[in-house]
């Protein structure tokens, strides 16, 4: 008989926010003698199980580092396959997110995503926007360097527009510009 570990979790000690860097699916597939894209497809199942499990135990925010800015350096065919998998997976999983009251969000340089991926992502974000359960945050075309540059540019624009003075930029003001 399988043991249900979820019943052993102290709900008072569940972290409010968990972040996961998804890494190694392609290398795993290659070790199995398969194409890297096979590993990415298998990884979708692990993501689904992780999201459902996190939601069930009461995690409020789950950030999944899905596609970093560095991933754009991969071969074009692999990037195309990853973006197609992203579109297909988001489309397929949106009803499940709604059934489980999970709100989808995304951070990163989303403008860099192919139009089809960007549109499906926005559609799913819109369709789950009223959900009040766990927030599932996909980090796409994201890196800490990108986020710092993005926040800095936002603040520079505000200074240029006269909305804020340089000496008014505090840690809290800077933090408000972060994803």
């Amino acid at each position: 008989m399988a043991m249900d570990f979820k019943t052993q979790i102290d709900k008072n000690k569940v972290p409010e926010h968990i972040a996961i860097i998804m890494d190694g699916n392609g290398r795993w597939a290659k070790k199995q003698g398969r194409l890297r894209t096979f590993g990415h497809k298998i990884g979708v199942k692990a993501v689904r199980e992780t999201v459902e499990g996190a939601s069930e135990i009461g995690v409020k925010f789950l950030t999944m580092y899905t596609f970093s800015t560095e991933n754009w350096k991969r071969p074009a065919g692999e990037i195309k396959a990853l973006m197609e998998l992203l579109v297909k997976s988001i489309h397929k999983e949106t009803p499940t997110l709604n059934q489980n009251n999970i709100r989808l969000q995304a951070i990163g340089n989303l403008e860099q995503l192919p139009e089809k991926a960007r549109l499906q992502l926005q559609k799913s974000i819109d369709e789950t926007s009223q959900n009040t359960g766990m927030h599932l945050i996909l980090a796409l075309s994201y890196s800490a360097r990108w986020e710092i540059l993005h926040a800095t540019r936002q603040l520079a624009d505000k200074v240029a527009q006269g909305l804020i003075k340089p000496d008014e930029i505090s840690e809290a003001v800077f933090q408000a510009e972060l994803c």
Side-chain angles (χ1 to χ4, degrees):
M1 182 158 99
M3 186 177 240
D4 184 7
F5 291 107
K6 286 183 274 191
T7 61
Q8 298 176 21
I9 295 173
D10 181 347
K11 303 280 184 163
N12 296 315
K13 294 183 179 177
V14 172
E16 188 171 297
H17 192 163
I18 296 175
I20 298 173
I21 298 172
M22 298 189 301
D23 190 31
N25 292 327
R27 287 187 300 279
W28 173 84
K30 285 188 82 165
K31 286 182 182 177
Q32 310 303 312
R34 307 292 296 264
L35 293 174
R36 290 178 57 84
T37 52
F38 173 77
H40 300 309
K41 289 176 185 172
I42 297 298
V44 171
K45 181 181 178 197
V47 168
R48 183 182 312 110
E49 292 171 356
T50 301
V51 171
E52 289 175 5
S55 179
E56 287 174 15
I57 65 169
V59 173
K60 290 186 174 117
F61 300 90
L62 176 63
T63 299
M64 304 203 76
Y65 291 88
T66 308
F67 191 87
S68 75
T69 54
E70 293 296 310
N71 290 149
W72 291 113
K73 296 177 184 172
R74 292 180 179 199
E78 185 176 356
I79 292 171
K80 183 177 188 281
L82 283 167
M83 291 298 133
E84 288 172 358
L85 183 60
L86 175 67
V87 169
K88 181 181 172 187
S89 299
I90 291 173
H91 175 73
K92 182 180 175 190
E93 297 300 327
T94 299
T96 304
L97 294 175
N98 279 323
Q99 289 166 5
N100 291 293
N101 196 30
I102 297 170
R103 181 177 180 178
L104 181 64
Q105 296 172 288
I107 59 172
N109 187 0
L110 304 180
E111 293 302 315
Q112 198 172 15
L113 298 175
E115 183 180 17
K116 189 173 182 181
R118 205 171 51 250
L119 292 173
Q120 181 60 60
L121 178 64
Q122 190 58 55
K123 182 176 186 250
S124 296
I125 287 170
D126 293 344
E127 288 179 17
T128 63
S129 67
Q130 300 304 307
N131 293 344
T132 58
M134 184 178 78
H135 293 238
L136 171 60
I137 303 142
L138 300 181
L140 295 160
S141 194
Y142 175 88
S143 73
R145 286 186 178 118
W146 172 85
E147 183 173 22
I148 290 167
L149 282 171
H150 179 74
T152 303
R153 288 178 180 139
Q154 295 290 101
L155 288 171
D157 284 346
K158 287 182 178 180
V159 168
Q161 293 173 33
L163 300 173
I164 189 172
K165 294 178 183 166
D167 61 354
E168 295 174 335
I169 300 174
S170 65
E171 186 175 326
V173 169
F174 183 77
Q175 185 175 349
E177 297 298 332
L178 297 173
C179 296

